[in-house]
Amino acid sequence: MSVRRSTIIFAWILLLPALLYVSVIVAYPLVDTFILSFTDASLKKTTKWVGAVNYDKIFNSTFAEVIIRTFVWTFFSVSIKMIIGTFGAVMLNAAVPGRALFRVLTMPPWIVPMAIGIFMWGWMYNGQFGMISGMLQNWGLVDGPVAFLAHGSTAFWATIITDVWIGVPLVTLYLLASIQAIPQDLYEAAWTDGAGRFYRFRRITLPLLVPAMITMSMLSLIATFNSFDIIWILTQGGPNGDTTTMIIDTYRTAIGSKRYGEGAARAVLICIFLSIFCLLYFRVTHRLASGESR
């Protein structure tokens, strides 16, 4: 056996655990879900092949509204998290007294178990004994109790605020670590040339922070797009479906209504959308890397 062949065999042996993991944990469920989406699988009858009927049902129903709502919910949630997280990272990087304490205080929303944090926000949104409604009444801004989760528009934004509260600490700490990785020599040279704080942020911090912001935006987008706990605990997709996103609708169809074939079709669409996002992310990062190498 030649040295080249033995090297190739050894390389495949090293890759075997990763290949088994991808095949069993990732590839098989994806393929099985894709096949299931072309059947009428349910709890009550024998599974039959129905072709693209499940996808026809999706596009001939109100699911288009659910898709739009999911994109809007994800856009606002990720955008707000990135804006607050970037601002917080810059502030936490500033040389101010008590900086370490402020960094620690950003952690609780991320450390507290998600379900407990969501229940806490649900209590604050309550119209009868919630803190937010009580404060608004005490300040004279409203005449009576406000049940934020009972109305579509307020419930929609209430779920976004809760998601932002949970997600901001991770964004902040990630971007803070990226800022601290920027060479201090650049700031010292700019300061020597008389550059002000805003100019240094605009010309040094922000351009070097863009790759980290893109990566964090992508990770946040995937997590937010697939977010289930927040909406389900607060509203279960209500009222009147005004907070129903694709993941909530998929759960209701597949698990709640036991229509596994239709639920699988919805899951396939979610996978397609997220795959498109990932491809766009890889394309953008490749362009950035190509630009830096020139």
Side-chain angles (χ1 to χ4, degrees):
M1 183 181 295
S2 64
V3 176
R4 177 179 174 81
R5 180 174 296 181
S6 62
T7 302
I8 293 175
I9 294 175
F10 181 68
W12 278 107
I13 293 174
L14 294 178
L15 288 173
L16 185 60
L19 292 174
L20 289 174
Y21 172 81
V22 172
S23 300
V24 176
I25 305 300
V26 180
Y28 173 75
L30 284 175
V31 173
D32 187 62
T33 301
F34 181 74
I35 295 174
L36 190 65
S37 68
F38 292 97
T39 68
D40 63 349
S42 68
L43 195 63
K44 299 180 180 179
K45 56 185 179 181
T46 305
T47 301
K48 296 180 181 179
W49 185 268
V50 295
V53 171
N54 293 327
Y55 294 95
D56 290 336
K57 290 180 180 179
I58 290 176
F59 293 109
N60 291 329
S61 64
T62 59
F63 193 70
E65 298 179 6
V66 176
I67 295 176
I68 295 173
R69 186 182 301 113
T70 303
F71 276 90
V72 173
W73 193 83
T74 303
F75 172 78
F76 281 108
S77 182
V78 173
S79 298
I80 296 173
K81 279 187 282 189
M82 292 305 301
I83 292 172
I84 297 177
T86 303
F87 178 79
V90 173
M91 293 297 101
L92 291 176
N93 189 59
V96 295
R99 179 173 58 177
L101 176 62
F102 290 128
R103 292 179 180 177
V104 172
L105 293 177
T106 62
M107 296 297 292
W110 194 35
I111 295 175
V112 172
M114 183 180 293
I116 295 177
I118 298 170
F119 275 116
M120 179 192 71
W121 277 98
W123 170 78
M124 290 194 296
Y125 290 139
N126 188 279
Q128 298 299 322
F129 52 82
M131 183 182 70
I132 299 176
S133 178
M135 293 174 61
L136 293 176
Q137 292 179 72
N138 291 334
W139 294 340
L141 298 177
V142 294
D143 297 328
V146 180
F148 292 96
L149 300 180
H151 306 282
S153 58
T154 54
F156 183 81
W157 286 103
T159 56
I160 289 179
I161 292 172
T162 306
D163 183 69
V164 169
W165 180 81
I166 293 173
V168 160
L170 176 61
V171 177
T172 302
L173 294 177
Y174 183 87
L175 295 182
L176 175 61
S178 300
I179 290 175
Q180 292 179 335
I182 298 175
Q184 293 299 312
D185 296 345
L186 300 177
Y187 293 106
E188 294 174 0
W191 181 79
T192 303
D193 292 338
R197 181 171 298 178
F198 179 75
Y199 183 87
R200 280 177 284 169
F201 171 79
R202 185 165 60 90
R203 292 294 187 179
I204 300 176
T205 305
L206 194 57
L208 295 178
L209 197 60
V210 166
M213 293 176 67
I214 293 175
T215 300
M216 191 68 248
S217 297
M218 187 62 206
L219 295 174
S220 180
L221 186 149
I222 294 175
T224 304
F225 199 89
N226 283 323
S227 180
F228 175 84
D229 308 64
I230 295 171
I231 296 177
W232 188 255
I233 293 176
L234 289 178
T235 65
Q236 295 189 4
N240 298 321
D242 289 327
T243 59
T244 298
T245 57
M246 292 180 67
I247 196 72
I248 297 294
D249 186 79
T250 301
Y251 174 82
R252 281 179 167 176
T253 303
I255 307 301
S257 301
K258 304 297 187 296
R259 303 199 306 272
Y260 305 123
E262 295 181 34
R266 286 163 165 78
V268 169
L269 284 182
I270 293 175
C271 184
I272 291 174
F273 284 131
L274 292 179
S275 298
I276 293 173
F277 295 151
C278 291
L279 289 174
L280 292 174
Y281 164 73
F282 288 129
R283 186 169 183 176
V284 171
T285 53
H286 176 71
R287 285 187 177 183
L288 288 175
S290 300
E292 291 176 357
S293 62
R294 292 176 182 175

